[in-house]
Amino acid sequence: MDRVYNVIMERVNASIVAYTTAVSAGVLSCYVGLKVYRKQQVKKKALKKREESRKALQDVQRSVAVEITGPTANKRKEILSLTLPQLSQQLRDGQLSAVQVLQAFQEKATAVNDELNCLTEPIPDALVRAQNVDAADQPLGLLHGVPFSIKENYLIKGMVTTMGVTKYLDTPADHEDAVIVQVLKKQGAVPFVKTNIPQTLLSIGCSNPVFGNTLNPVDPTRTPGGSSGGEAALVKGGGSILGFGSDVGGSVRIPAHFCGICGFKPTGQRISGRGLMKGSPVQGVISTPGLMARDVDSLALGMKALLVPDMFQLDPQVVPMPFRQETYEDKKPMRIGYFTSLHSCPPTPSMGRAVTMAKEALEKAGHTLVAFDPPDALRAIVDMTLRLLTADNGRTFSTKWLKDEVIDEYLEGQIYLWTMPHYLRKIVGFLLKPFWPRVARSISHRLIGSVYDLWQRLAERETYIEQFVDELNKKNIDLLLCPALGMPACKPEHAGKTLVATAYTSLFNLLNFPAGVVPVTTVTEEDDRLLDDWRGYGNDAFDRSMKETTKGAVGLPVAVQCVALPWQEERCLRLMKEVETLCPM
């Protein structure tokens, strides 16, 4: 009996094991199948939106098409050649109509988009808006009839803001436009297109699964930068005369530098950020809206149009300080600090050369240039900026934005690094420290684990700002000239590997100083030759990626960065204008 019982039990146990295995395999297959199905649905949803947007842009393109050699075409070429001050004056004087100007830029913008994929969608009521402007009895404001473009994260009532993911495709904005858009409309301006971004915004590339990859107008094998990359590409291509982006670590200045245009970010709360969607609610690294244009006078006019009572009423958090034209036009000699390199991130040869070139031109023009060494730059970038940017260990990205989404191929490595568990960071950092200490420090930095820890980092930031300002005061300077970035435009596949180069831009988000970039030169054959012997901080992984992506960059634009103390936007723009005048491209 015992033998029979044992045989029966063995068969029962075998059946249970087989059944359990089969069920487990079935459950696992269902789970994997469901994940695959969801990814396929996300891809279909993204492609559907992309096709809808492409069709809408093609409809606009067809509606404004004219013969290449006709009088209308010639007039459009004339319109596109004007600077913003010239165009706005002719519109206010009635020499041009808002509809006429809008259609010229619609035609050009859609043509640029055919080459670069820089647009996401046309703004549906642009034509009606232009017609209403033309029907006004008198000019509505400084930008009467001027068409302008906006980054995809600016809210427009009735339009979807995707941030490069599909989960919000069915939820158009049901409230008012972004405050900046409202103010510009009151000034008579006409928003007409939205422009492309990287997924979640926090990248120096410009690609997402919904709208695809945007190309650099100077070299299509390279990225136009991020996160306001579509905006920079459109402005450089001539498809917009004034563009608006946002900047949390250089997201206006980096694309402007990569594409060879001017870009400017003010002090936080100098202009309103209400109605701009953010990738994450970062504290301590100040995000601000920013402006992009082909010249500095256009940036100044854009700021002047924004800093009006309408702005201060719509957003009471904005400091009610009108644009100080007399400061912008001041001709007195300036005392300017400069540096060509941060010890924590030596730039590639062309970037330092550009600063030296601008410094010498400013000195010849009668200005005083004083060498300045930013204090404790590595600590500021790694221990403060990086820790504050990744304070939630990537939870906002992984839950709010990227859960059940297709992650952009150029963002995957960056997201993995930002969401890496703390224990793994420590292990990787320990292994890398003997060989690449800077890389190890960047990876293994201690995460912010409590409110107390966050408060300590924010207090540390305030102390650093005081230290930085004290160093400026010791040398009696309130303006800075420095590299725009650590390198010229990179290739898309290197965007996530060269974030260390953003030390030059993110530093001034940490400090909350106004800053802008101006193109002054291009990468030369000599710059490319010097790169062969360039080792950067110590030829670590960051340096190697920067070197690899910069090799062969001859002809790419190179900008310098101009910086001022908080609330001194007009002085910053004045320095930018002086550099632009003395170092024409």
Side-chain angles (χ1 to χ4, degrees):
M1 286 294 293
D2 289 343
R3 183 178 297 174
V4 172
Y5 175 78
N6 290 336
V7 170
I8 292 172
M9 290 306 298
E10 286 176 3
R11 290 180 178 178
V12 169
N13 289 334
S15 299
I16 291 173
V17 170
Y19 177 76
T20 303
T21 303
V23 170
S24 299
V27 170
L28 181 61
S29 298
C30 289
Y31 175 77
V32 172
L34 184 60
K35 292 280 283 186
V36 171
Y37 173 76
R38 283 178 176 172
K39 292 292 184 184
Q40 289 175 340
Q41 293 303 109
V42 167
K43 288 181 180 179
K44 286 181 180 179
K45 197 173 182 181
L47 290 175
K48 180 183 178 183
K49 177 61 179 178
R50 190 184 302 187
E51 187 56 36
E52 289 173 354
S53 298
R54 183 178 292 127
K55 184 179 183 302
L57 289 165
Q58 288 174 344
D59 289 344
V60 170
Q61 192 171 37
R62 282 191 291 267
S63 72
V64 297
V66 295
E67 292 186 13
I68 299 175
T69 57
T72 301
N74 292 334
K75 188 63 179 178
R76 288 181 179 178
K77 289 178 183 178
E78 181 184 322
I79 289 169
L80 295 172
S81 70
L82 299 172
T83 65
L84 179 58
Q86 292 170 338
L87 178 65
S88 60
Q89 187 63 57
Q90 291 192 26
L91 280 160
R92 291 197 303 273
D93 292 346
Q95 299 175 50
L96 295 170
S97 73
V99 170
Q100 190 179 19
V101 173
L102 170 66
Q103 291 177 338
F105 278 97
Q106 284 177 324
E107 181 187 40
K108 183 63 175 179
T110 51
V112 171
N113 184 64
D114 287 343
E115 296 180 3
L116 305 177
N117 189 43
C118 55
L119 304 181
T120 58
E121 293 182 275
I123 294 176
D125 66 348
L127 179 59
V128 173
R129 172 71 189 163
Q131 291 168 339
N132 291 339
V133 169
D134 284 334
D137 295 332
Q138 59 185 8
L140 299 177
L142 281 175
L143 299 182
H144 179 87
V146 173
F148 67 94
S149 51
I150 54 175
K151 187 175 178 178
E152 205 264 353
N153 67 322
Y154 278 61
L155 297 183
I156 295 286
K157 187 175 182 178
M159 292 189 72
V160 167
T161 296
T162 71
M163 297 287 282
V165 299
T166 63
K167 54 171 54 77
Y168 300 114
L169 287 179
D170 301 321
T171 53
D174 58 359
H175 37 71
E176 294 297 326
D177 299 341
V179 167
I180 283 178
V181 176
Q182 293 184 58
V183 173
L184 291 171
K185 283 183 175 180
K186 289 176 181 291
Q187 288 287 314
V190 180
F192 75 110
V193 284
K194 281 191 162 193
T195 54
N196 204 20
I197 55 170
Q199 193 176 38
T200 73
L201 300 186
L202 284 175
S203 171
I204 63 170
C206 191
S207 174
N208 66 76
V210 179
F211 298 109
N213 183 43
T214 299
L215 308 180
N216 188 303
V218 182
D219 180 351
T221 68
R222 296 178 181 268
T223 177
S227 59
S228 308
E231 201 62 49
L234 180 64
V235 172
K236 177 64 175 180
S240 177
I241 199 164
L242 183 63
F244 292 85
S246 56
D247 190 308
V248 74
S251 297
V252 163
R253 291 162 289 158
I254 293 168
H257 159 56
F258 278 9
C259 292
I261 62 171
C262 299
F264 178 70
K265 79 125 196 127
T267 312
Q269 297 304 327
R270 183 75 198 266
I271 58 178
S272 177
R274 288 185 63 179
L276 274 68
M277 198 171 284
K278 299 178 181 179
S280 63
V282 176
Q283 294 186 45
V285 184
I286 309 302
S287 174
T288 72
L291 295 78
M292 309 174 96
R294 292 178 302 215
D295 58 80
V296 179
D297 280 341
S298 297
L299 297 177
L301 182 56
M303 284 292 291
K304 188 175 182 179
L306 287 172
L307 297 176
V308 294
D310 288 323
M311 170 75 74
F312 312 140
Q313 291 169 8
L314 287 166
D315 188 354
Q317 296 184 82
V318 171
V319 176
M321 186 191 304
F323 189 79
R324 294 163 291 194
Q325 189 71 24
E326 68 282 0
T327 301
Y328 176 60
E329 295 176 349
D330 188 12
K331 300 300 180 184
K332 294 177 184 176
M334 293 177 281
R335 184 177 172 85
I336 306 157
Y338 76 94
F339 60 92
T340 59
S341 175
L342 289 174
H343 174 67
S344 59
C345 179
T348 56
S350 63
M351 304 305 300
R353 178 180 62 81
V355 176
T356 301
M357 173 181 164
K359 168 197 173 278
E360 293 174 351
L362 287 164
E363 286 177 325
K364 288 179 181 178
H367 304 290
T368 301
L369 276 291
V370 181
F372 179 78
D373 186 16
D376 246 344
L378 184 59
R379 182 173 68 90
I381 298 305
V382 176
D383 298 342
M384 285 180 260
T385 304
L386 185 57
R387 288 184 70 184
L388 288 167
L389 283 172
T390 59
D392 69 344
N393 199 33
R395 287 186 64 187
T396 301
F397 296 120
S398 57
T399 56
K400 181 178 180 180
W401 298 116
L402 299 178
K403 186 178 181 180
D404 297 325
E405 290 285 339
V406 174
I407 300 177
D408 185 78
E409 60 176 314
Y410 299 126
L411 195 65
E412 286 179 337
Q414 187 176 320
I415 293 296
Y416 176 75
L417 182 62
W418 283 12
T419 57
M420 184 184 293
H422 183 57
Y423 76 88
L424 190 54
R425 288 176 181 272
K426 287 297 183 184
I427 293 172
V428 173
F430 176 78
L431 294 174
L432 291 178
K433 189 174 182 179
F435 312 102
W436 296 337
R438 180 179 59 161
V439 177
R441 184 170 177 176
S442 299
I443 291 175
S444 63
H445 67 275
R446 190 165 64 87
L447 298 173
I448 292 178
S450 66
V451 173
Y452 173 80
D453 198 12
L454 175 61
W455 285 0
Q456 295 307 303
R457 300 292 74 73
L458 293 175
E460 187 179 5
R461 170 185 175 263
E462 293 301 318
T463 301
Y464 180 73
I465 293 173
E466 292 175 3
Q467 180 187 1
F468 199 98
V469 172
D470 286 345
E471 291 299 316
L472 291 172
N473 288 338
K474 286 178 185 177
K475 299 206 170 186
N476 192 28
I477 51 179
D478 59 3
L479 293 166
L480 285 173
L481 177 74
C482 62
L485 198 71
M487 61 186 182
C490 66
K491 297 175 181 177
E493 59 269 26
H494 294 129
K497 302 174 183 178
T498 53
L499 289 174
V500 66
T502 65
Y504 293 90
T505 50
S506 60
L507 175 63
F508 299 110
N509 293 91
L510 181 76
L511 294 167
N512 195 23
F513 286 10
V517 299
V518 184
V520 297
T521 185
T522 58
V523 180
T524 64
E525 295 282 358
E526 177 65 9
D527 293 328
D528 203 48
R529 188 191 66 76
L530 290 172
L531 192 65
D532 292 336
D533 300 320
W534 181 83
R535 292 180 57 83
Y537 186 79
N539 204 32
D540 62 18
F542 294 154
D543 294 323
R544 293 178 185 183
S545 293
M546 286 174 62
K547 186 172 183 176
E548 181 182 356
T549 203
T550 302
K551 193 63 182 172
V554 175
L556 290 182
V558 179
V560 294
Q561 185 170 206
C562 302
V563 185
L565 289 174
W567 315 112
Q568 298 299 319
E569 281 72 18
E570 297 84 355
R571 284 182 59 74
C572 185
L573 287 164
R574 188 209 161 188
L575 175 56
M576 291 172 66
K577 176 64 178 176
E578 191 75 354
V579 170
E580 179 185 57
T581 302
L582 297 171
C583 304
M585 283 285 283

